[in-house]
Amino acid sequence: MKAVRHIGYHTFPEIKEVDKPTPGPGQVLLKVAGAGACHSDVAVFHEFDEGINPKVDPEFTLGHENSGWVEEVGEGVNGIEVGAAYLVYGPVGCGVCRACSRGQDTYCENADKLDYAAIGLGLDGGMAEYVVVPARNLVPLGDADPVSAAPLADAGLTPYHAIKLALPTLNGGGKFALVIGLGGLGIIGVQILNALTGATIIATDMKEDAMAEAEKLGAITVAGGEGQVECIREITGGRGVDAVFDFVGVGATVGTAMKSVARQGRVTIVGLGNLSPYEWAFLTTPYEAELVNTYWGTIEELHEVVDMYKAGQIVPPVTTFPLDQALDAYQQLVDGAISGRAVVVPHGK
């Protein structure tokens, strides 16, 4: 079968012929419906240096946002319907620690003993015709479109987890939320904030088309650049926003977040930019403002995200590519030419 393989650092992936996998005990073989192309993949093959994270050393098949139809089940698998559509929870922990027992494989207590980070991040992922995953990691989609659902595995779950943790900060009237970065995660983040809170949503980006999409969702937009923070604070009457979600995660955007947040507000860094540091100083930081980061989410939360998708509360903006054009999708990600999420469709839509 064909698969998009991570073959080296600072090296573009290749489409290769590999053996079709076979499910082992407790595993399921999926015929891939959709595989989202994520900036995290680009970071792995385009930005990472060798040694920065041995868990994603080549070679493996990319794709950590996956959906598909069950083709075959392994020994000991019950309750999984052959032919049915499922979304795949990407993180895979040890399965026995306290974090894994509550479905939070992202914070596995034995992660340092594992030689992979997740499905599609060390383990073979879904940027292929077929993928093998643990049966435990499947979330049923029912009659919902599995192709458009594929990005929910990360671009839906990650902002959902971050926003859910910040809900106490947004509980009440007159609250403001700020979304920094309106790519695949940020646009879905605006939708989730609309569904879960009554907050006034402010959204900021450098791209006019991205801000236009956020405006369609009811957000007040502020262009990045000079005067950005002053404009944000003016919208809030000068006090700042109650909760900020930074989907970029570089020093400059973290600085914008901390200058825009209100006293006793919360700033959540979701993006994995890591290109420059942020300098914290006591007298230039709003008192009791929290600065936290989050990573992905729990499998229980992915079930909740799918419920929102089925209810029409989350509509991922996707552009589809056949598997033969998967490298074009990644190139467009590198060039910043994709709005929303690129989804590779190995078997057509």
Side-chain angles (χ1 to χ4, degrees), residues 102-291:
R102 61 177 181 262
Q104 197 162 29
D105 294 50
T106 45
Y107 302 150
C108 174
E109 296 171 12
N110 297 310
D112 59 337
K113 300 175 184 177
L114 305 176
D115 59 2
Y116 55 82
I119 297 166
L121 293 168
L123 294 174
D124 283 340
M127 202 67 69
E129 296 177 67
Y130 295 89
V131 62
V132 162
V133 301
R136 168 184 178 270
N137 287 47
L138 296 181
V139 176
L141 287 169
D143 296 332
D145 177 17
V147 173
S148 294
L152 298 177
D154 181 2
L157 177 58
T158 298
Y160 181 80
H161 177 71
I163 291 167
K164 190 175 178 182
L165 289 176
L167 287 179
T169 311
L170 293 171
N171 184 29
K175 302 295 184 179
F176 290 86
L178 173 63
V179 173
I180 300 176
L182 294 168
L185 277 72
I187 285 292
I188 294 179
V190 171
Q191 296 179 41
I192 294 170
L193 284 164
N194 268 328
L196 297 185
T197 80
T200 298
I201 302 168
I202 305 170
T204 183
D205 200 285
M206 300 296 289
K207 295 181 180 179
E208 291 185 6
D209 60 338
M211 289 193 292
E213 287 300 313
E215 288 174 3
K216 292 177 184 177
L217 297 169
I220 300 171
T221 58
V222 174
E226 188 176 350
Q228 179 185 23
V229 171
E230 291 78 6
C231 185
I232 291 167
R233 297 194 75 89
E234 182 179 353
I235 293 169
T236 68
R239 70 177 182 86
V241 296
D242 300 280
V244 185
F245 305 93
D246 180 0
F247 291 100
V248 182
V250 298
T253 57
V254 178
T256 296
M258 294 302 290
K259 291 174 184 176
S260 302
V261 72
R263 294 185 184 92
Q264 297 180 307
R266 178 183 174 96
V267 173
T268 305
I269 310 303
V270 185
L272 301 175
N274 297 328
L275 296 178
S276 54
Y278 161 72
E279 284 193 14
W280 183 92
F282 188 93
L283 294 179
T284 59
T285 301
Y287 295 134
E288 295 189 25
E290 297 177 309
L291 175 59

Side-chain angles (χ1 to χ4, degrees), residues 48-140:
F48 280 14
D49 294 322
E50 186 174 355
I52 192 171
N53 186 355
K55 295 179 185 296
V56 293
D57 281 349
E59 178 175 322
F60 61 87
T61 300
L62 292 165
H64 59 272
E65 294 181 336
N66 306 306
S67 64
W69 303 277
V70 175
E71 183 91 353
E72 184 182 346
V73 299
E75 181 183 349
V77 173
N78 297 300
I80 299 296
E81 181 184 351
V82 174
Y86 290 85
L87 188 63
V88 180
Y89 179 66
V92 181
C94 70
V96 296
C97 71
R98 288 170 291 186
C100 289
S101 70
R102 61 177 181 262
Q104 197 162 29
D105 294 50
T106 45
Y107 302 150
C108 174
E109 296 171 12
N110 297 310
D112 59 337
K113 300 175 184 177
L114 305 176
D115 59 2
Y116 55 82
I119 297 166
L121 293 168
L123 294 174
D124 283 340
M127 202 67 69
E129 296 177 67
Y130 295 89
V131 62
V132 162
V133 301
R136 168 184 178 270
N137 287 47
L138 296 181
V139 176

